Amino acid sequence: MTTTEPPANSAESGPQPGHWHASERTAPGCTLVYLVRHGETPWNVERRFQGQLNVELSPAGQAQARALAGWLAKRPVSFSAIYSSDLRRAAETAAIIGERIGITPRLDPRLREINVGEWSGMLAAEVEQKYPGALVEWHERIDRYPIPGGESIPAVQKRVLAAYREAVDVAYRAASHVRFDGMHFRRDIGHRHPLQDGEAIVIVSHGAALSALLVALHDWDLIETWHSRKTRMGNTGVSVVSFDRASSSHDLLAMNLSEHLAEP
């Protein structure tokens, strides 16, 4: 998202891959949710605030998305839906995944990145020069500070959590389609049906949006978690949550997996 993020795929990880793969096969009464951050963009490399600007994937980001798609296709689960932010970098990532696993992504603007308002397109140094002290204030008051002309993290948290809850409660069979630069996507309208046991879904979103979501799902302290960086995800990083529908509880099985990028 910003220059305050770690380089792609360098954030601290949670449970290691070998310790959680068995959980993919044994989740009666649960839905597995694969939370995916979009692939790399040129502005990720330059470490600019992207926010809700429509920055496309770089060639490296497209390669990351293809590697992730191949990895997801090998998971021992039955994917029933892909939900994605409608911003181009996420939608492109979702489209590449969807083509590989045979699912048309459903675009949801609630999954967009934080709106960084007047900071859009700027480097951290440029923000500091134009708004002295604002970055420090945002960092220290992350639970309530609205970016000038943009959003606060709690505002992002509210909309992303609403989209997540809707996704795990129901899967949509959309009746209409839209085109996005030659790629087909379904809108979140039309007939709905309950998710079945053993199903899994993919949600493609953004760094700050996914961090905010993970904090909300586990009722973690926002300031403490933000400062610890434990929910930061690299480009095409994957965090896996098991949602138990009976208890409405969420179990974090894996955090910021990037093993797909190590595969030949």
Side-chain angles (χ1 to χ4, degrees):
M1 178 194 66
T2 74
T3 55
T4 61
E5 287 191 353
N9 304 303
S10 70
E12 294 98 348
S13 296
Q16 294 302 304
H19 295 176
W20 74 275
H21 283 175
S23 300
E24 292 180 293
R25 301 178 177 86
T26 56
C30 295
T31 296
L32 292 181
V33 184
Y34 290 70
L35 302 173
V36 173
R37 186 184 174 206
H38 63 80
E40 180 191 273
T41 72
W43 281 14
N44 284 140
V45 176
E46 296 174 15
R47 304 183 75 76
R48 293 185 179 275
F49 283 89
Q50 298 182 103
Q52 296 189 0
L53 296 181
N54 239 344
V55 185
E56 64 185 10
L57 294 180
S58 65
Q62 294 172 351
Q64 290 172 341
R66 288 192 296 270
L68 173 59
W71 181 83
L72 287 170
K74 298 174 184 177
R75 307 320 323 139
V77 297
S78 176
F79 288 107
S80 62
I82 301 173
Y83 297 88
S84 175
S85 158
D86 61 346
L87 294 177
R88 181 165 183 164
R89 56 193 183 272
E92 287 182 0
T93 302
I96 292 170
I97 295 169
E99 182 177 5
R100 182 63 183 269
I101 65 177
I103 297 175
T104 302
R106 295 154 182 173
L107 301 184
D108 190 333
R110 294 174 298 178
L111 295 172
R112 288 181 180 184
E113 180 60 296
I114 183 173
N115 182 349
V116 294
E118 296 173 12
W119 300 356
S120 297
M122 299 176 72
L123 299 170
E126 295 170 335
V127 173
E128 179 60 28
Q129 182 177 23
K130 189 171 183 179
Y131 306 96
L135 285 173
V136 172
E137 185 176 8
W138 181 52
H139 184 69
E140 296 302 323
R141 300 174 59 221
I142 198 69
D143 61 333
R144 57 191 181 279
Y145 182 84
I147 294 175
E151 294 178 288
S152 66
I153 288 294
V156 177
Q157 198 172 54
K158 181 178 180 180
R159 60 173 167 80
V160 176
L161 181 60
Y164 171 90
R165 284 174 171 165
E166 196 168 289
V168 296
D169 284 343
V170 294
Y172 294 86
R173 291 174 179 166
S176 63
H177 292 71
V178 296
R179 291 187 66 84
F180 180 86
D181 286 354
M183 298 177 287
H184 288 280
F185 297 88
R186 288 190 294 204
R187 290 291 186 188
D188 288 336
I189 59 174
H191 179 68
R192 59 180 63 181
H193 67 278
L195 285 168
Q196 303 298 315
D197 287 353
E199 284 189 313
I201 62 175
V202 177
I203 294 179
V204 183
S205 187
H206 306 264
L210 290 172
S211 289
L213 174 61
L214 286 165
V215 169
L217 292 181
H218 299 93
D219 198 26
W220 293 330
D221 181 85
L222 179 55
I223 294 179
E224 179 182 339
T225 305
W226 196 266
H227 289 177
S228 74
R229 306 171 71 90
K230 71 179 182 181
T231 57
R232 300 298 177 91
M233 294 169 61
N235 291 120
T236 66
V238 182
S239 295
V240 185
V241 173
S242 176
F243 172 64
D244 188 317
R245 295 189 295 280
S247 63
S248 295
S249 62
H250 308 271
D251 183 19
L252 182 61
L253 302 181
M255 181 67 208
N256 193 33
L257 294 173
S258 59
E259 57 189 85
H260 53 283
L261 298 180
E263 295 180 357

